[in-house]
């Protein structure tokens, strides 16, 4: 495998770090592999990195970086009950023993804790596996060393779980393909991808690049660590746990085989994790592309394609990464898919529920956090009218929350006066017997949009007009 000069330079510091770590007896041997003394041939240097990968993974600076990443990500504990806050004292006491076990091949990862998260489709669940915090550090350390190696192999059309790439880049690539006339797509759905990955095939793919058998063995142990579900242990001879730091990289390594095959066949495609779309100029060519790629996916990669959800259709009928597409004046543009809109409204309904017992301060913080996150994700879409209507609906719900909180007539009167309401009007409204939702509409002028904004409830439309990219 060839490596670029830039990658070669970036790795110089790692080489020096490694030479400092080895013992006096090993140092002379290690220096034999110093790129200055061998030859400036990229193939030889690459062999060094892949053959001695475990030593690089177990470098103290790499492990410290992995620890800081796990610490910043927080997250719940695994099957051993250890939390992230307890990790540092444990590592200080046991780090040397842990490293020694891994070096000798005697380390045995703990089973992951099964967590099921509901999908958008009713009755379906996404199975996550939560590793222990110690295993998360080791997986993160492996990922940090493997990522730069595999980044050079990955396709330009792959965007999920990769540095400096994301969903917006994938969507812009889709937009470019449509603008170039590729308006029919194969919208492919891989059925339960993480649960059905063939481990032996994944190990074979890994072994083509990683020549250090100790690393292959360690990864294999993580794949076979098992799952604790409802207090019972389950073996994991198929699939890989979704939820650890290593699984996104392994998924990309596996699906890179599909990327290479699609590129070899000359297809235009976009892949984000296991969501893949193949772009074609006509419906017939899309149907042909699907029929021709199915034997490769199922026969060579041993993955399952969900026939019910996989379709060949016009780009305007596709939901991809929460967006949908339409054409305006011959150009491809984005909208928010109706399912994404419904999901957003359900979340706002939950946050502005009058009976959820949430404090005003917490509600305001969560509301603002959600609005900013959601709008930033969907800022490529045309949605001024959508957000205008959503803001009006959400503000009415917020007024209803406060009206219920004021409860007593004298409290309502005092708050209405503070909002600038005249005495007679405040008295009339405070004594009203109308319901909360009706009163929220009546209070529209008094409990104004400006007041709601000052309380911390960010307007979706106002924020969208600041960050939009369309």
């Amino acid at each position: 495998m060839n490596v670029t000069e830039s990658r070669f330079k970036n790795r110089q510091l790692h080489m020096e770090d490694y030479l400092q770590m080895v013992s006096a007896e090993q140092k002379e041997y290690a220096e034999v592999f110093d790129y200055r003394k061998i030859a400036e041939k990229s193939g030889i240097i690459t062999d060094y990195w892949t053959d001695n990968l475990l030593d690089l993974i177990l470098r103290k600076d790499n492990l410290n970086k992995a620890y800081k990443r796990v610490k910043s990500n927080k997250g719940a504990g695994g099957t051993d009950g250890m939390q992230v806050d307890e990790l540092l004292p444990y590592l200080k006491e046991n780090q040397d023993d842990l490293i020694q076990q891994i070096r000798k091949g005697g380390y045995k990862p703990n089973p992951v804790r099964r967590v099921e998260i509901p999908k958008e489709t009713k009755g379906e669940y996404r199975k996550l596996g939560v590793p222990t915090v110690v295993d998360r550090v080791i997986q993160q350390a492996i990922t940090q060393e493997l990522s730069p190696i595999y980044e050079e192999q990955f396709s330009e059309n792959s965007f999920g779980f990769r540095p400096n790439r994301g969903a917006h880049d994938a969507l812009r690539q889709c937009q470019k393909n449509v603008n170039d006339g590729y308006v029919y797509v194969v919208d492919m759905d891989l059925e339960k991808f993480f649960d059905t990955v063939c481990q032996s095939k994944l190990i074979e793919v890994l072994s083509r690049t990683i020549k250090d058998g100790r690393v292959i063995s360690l990864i294999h142990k993580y794949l076979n660590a098992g799952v604790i579900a409802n207090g019972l242990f389950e073996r994991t001879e198929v699939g890989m746990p979704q939820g650890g730091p290593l699984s996104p990289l392994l998924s990309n390594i596996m699906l890179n085989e599909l990327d290479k095959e699609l590129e070899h066949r000359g297809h235009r495609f976009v892949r984000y994790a296991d969501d893949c779309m193949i772009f074609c100029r006509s419906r017939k060519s899309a149907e042909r592309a699907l029929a021709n790629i199915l034997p490769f996916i199922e026969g060579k990669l041993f993955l399952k394609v969900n026939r019910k959800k996989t379709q060949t259709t016009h780009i305007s009928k596709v939901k991809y990464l929460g967006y949908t597409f339409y054409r305006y004046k011959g150009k491809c543009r984005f909208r928010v898919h109706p399912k994404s809109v419904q999901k957003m409204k359900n979340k706002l309904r939950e946050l502005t529920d009058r009976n959820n017992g949430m404090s005003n301060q917490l509600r305001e913080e969560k509301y603002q956090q959600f609005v900013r996150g959601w709008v930033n994700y969907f800022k490529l879409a045309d949605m001024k009218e959508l957000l205008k209507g959503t803001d009006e609906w959400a503000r009415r719900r917020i007024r209803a929350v406060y009206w219920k909180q004021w409860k007593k007539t004298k409290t309502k009167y005092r708050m209405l006066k503070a909002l600038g309401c005249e005495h007679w009007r405040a008295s009339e409204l405070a004594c009203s017997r109308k319901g909360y939702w009706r009163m929220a509409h009546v209070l529209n002028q008094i409990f104004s949009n400006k007041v709601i904004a000052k309380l911390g409830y960010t307007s979706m439309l106002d924020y969208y007009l600041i960050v939009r990219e369309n």
Side-chain angles (χ1 to χ4, degrees), residues 120 238 318 382-383 435:
E120 290 180 16
V238 177
V318 168
D382 299 325
M383 54 179 183

Side-chain angles (χ1 to χ4, degrees), residues 318-442:
V318 168
K319 177 194 175 191
Y320 193 65
L321 301 177
Y323 283 75
T324 189
F325 306 83
Y326 77 103
R327 301 187 80 187
Y328 179 71
K329 294 184 178 179
K331 296 294 182 182
C332 177
R333 298 186 68 84
F334 302 108
R335 285 196 183 105
V336 185
H337 194 274
K339 287 185 178 179
S340 301
V341 174
Q342 189 58 49
K343 195 174 176 182
M344 174 265 288
K345 288 190 173 181
N346 289 342
K347 182 62 178 178
L348 290 180
R349 190 175 283 113
E350 178 189 322
L351 290 172
T352 56
D353 186 348
R354 297 191 294 271
N355 303 311
N356 62 12
M358 197 181 293
S359 69
N360 288 336
Q361 184 181 352
L362 182 60
R363 181 184 289 106
E364 289 155 14
E365 288 173 4
K366 287 196 168 186
Y367 188 93
Q368 187 174 97
Q369 185 181 25
F370 173 74
V371 165
R372 288 176 181 271
W374 193 90
V375 173
N376 270 317
Y377 182 77
F378 286 101
K379 63 186 177 183
L380 302 183
D382 299 325
M383 54 179 183
K384 282 175 70 174
E385 289 304 313
L386 167 66
L387 295 187
K388 182 181 177 183
T390 303
D391 273 340
E392 290 173 1
W393 170 77
R395 283 193 289 257
R396 186 171 177 181
R397 289 185 63 84
I398 292 164
R399 292 185 185 103
V401 168
Y402 280 91
W403 188 250
K404 183 180 181 183
Q405 286 178 358
W406 294 342
K407 289 183 181 178
K408 295 180 181 179
T409 302
K410 61 181 181 181
T411 307
K412 292 175 181 176
Y413 174 81
R414 188 176 72 251
M415 298 306 294
L416 289 169
K417 286 286 288 178
L419 289 169
C421 195
E422 294 181 11
H423 165 72
W424 67 270
R425 182 65 170 153
S427 299
E428 180 184 345
L429 293 175
C431 296
S432 174
R433 308 290 290 179
K434 294 185 176 76
Y436 301 121
W437 186 244
R438 178 70 184 275
M439 283 304 299
H441 179 66
V442 174

Side-chain angles (χ1 to χ4, degrees), residues 195-219:
D195 298 332
T196 59
V197 168
C198 176
Q199 293 182 7
S200 57
K201 179 65 181 179
L202 176 58
I203 293 299
E204 179 214 317
V205 174
L206 286 167
S207 300
R208 294 177 200 163
T209 300
I210 302 170
K211 304 306 178 186
D212 191 335
R214 299 170 298 173
V215 176
I216 296 291
S217 175
L218 184 58
I219 292 172

Side-chain angles (χ1 to χ4, degrees), residues 36-194:
R36 301 180 191 90
K37 296 185 180 180
I38 305 173
E40 292 191 7
K41 290 184 179 179
S42 57
I44 296 173
I45 295 160
T46 305
D47 287 345
Y48 179 84
W49 296 118
T50 54
D51 291 354
N52 298 274
L53 197 53
L54 188 65
D55 298 320
L56 297 171
I57 289 167
L58 296 178
R59 283 175 18 256
K60 286 192 176 179
D61 66 324
N62 188 51
L63 290 172
N64 289 339
K65 183 180 175 184
Y67 162 74
K68 288 176 183 177
R69 185 67 181 268
V70 171
K71 173 86 172 169
S72 66
N73 289 341
K74 299 180 180 179
T79 52
D80 63 354
M82 186 187 295
Q83 302 300 316
V84 175
D85 294 338
E86 304 169 60
L87 185 55
L88 186 58
Y90 177 86
L91 289 177
K92 282 182 177 178
E93 189 175 338
N94 299 282
Q95 184 176 7
D96 292 337
D97 291 340
L98 196 62
I99 291 172
Q100 208 54 33
Q101 280 184 36
I102 296 170
R103 279 192 196 282
K104 291 179 179 178
Y107 180 74
K108 187 178 179 182
N110 288 296
V112 298
R113 180 168 60 86
R114 170 68 51 79
V115 176
E116 293 188 347
I117 297 176
K119 288 186 176 181
E120 290 180 16
T121 309
K122 193 174 180 181
E124 290 188 12
Y125 293 87
R126 178 173 284 107
K127 294 178 180 178
L128 297 184
V130 182
T132 63
V133 288
V134 174
D135 283 328
R136 292 215 288 272
V137 171
I138 299 168
Q139 286 191 31
Q140 181 63 36
I142 296 170
T143 303
Q144 286 166 186
E145 285 299 325
L146 288 190
S147 289
I149 294 170
Y150 278 100
E151 271 300 309
E152 296 169 359
Q153 300 182 20
F154 289 158
S155 168
E156 287 297 311
N157 297 302
S158 163
F159 297 91
F161 308 126
R162 293 184 62 188
N164 305 316
R165 284 170 169 253
H168 291 169
D169 301 306
L171 289 160
R172 289 191 185 98
Q173 185 63 37
C174 292
Q175 188 178 45
K176 182 180 183 302
N177 290 337
V178 175
N179 287 337
D180 289 345
Y182 294 80
V183 295
Y184 286 91
V185 295
V186 178
D187 184 13
M188 193 176 300
D189 184 87
L190 297 177
E191 188 174 353
K192 297 179 180 177
F193 169 71
F194 283 91

Side-chain angles (χ1 to χ4, degrees), residues 221-255:
K221 285 177 181 177
Y222 275 114
L223 295 175
N224 283 321
V227 172
I228 299 291
N230 300 319
L232 299 174
F233 175 80
E234 295 178 11
R235 295 175 64 86
T236 51
E237 295 174 347
V238 177
M240 57 183 171
Q242 183 182 4
L246 189 56
S247 56
L249 176 62
L250 294 180
S251 69
N252 269 338
I253 292 170
M254 186 69 175
L255 290 172

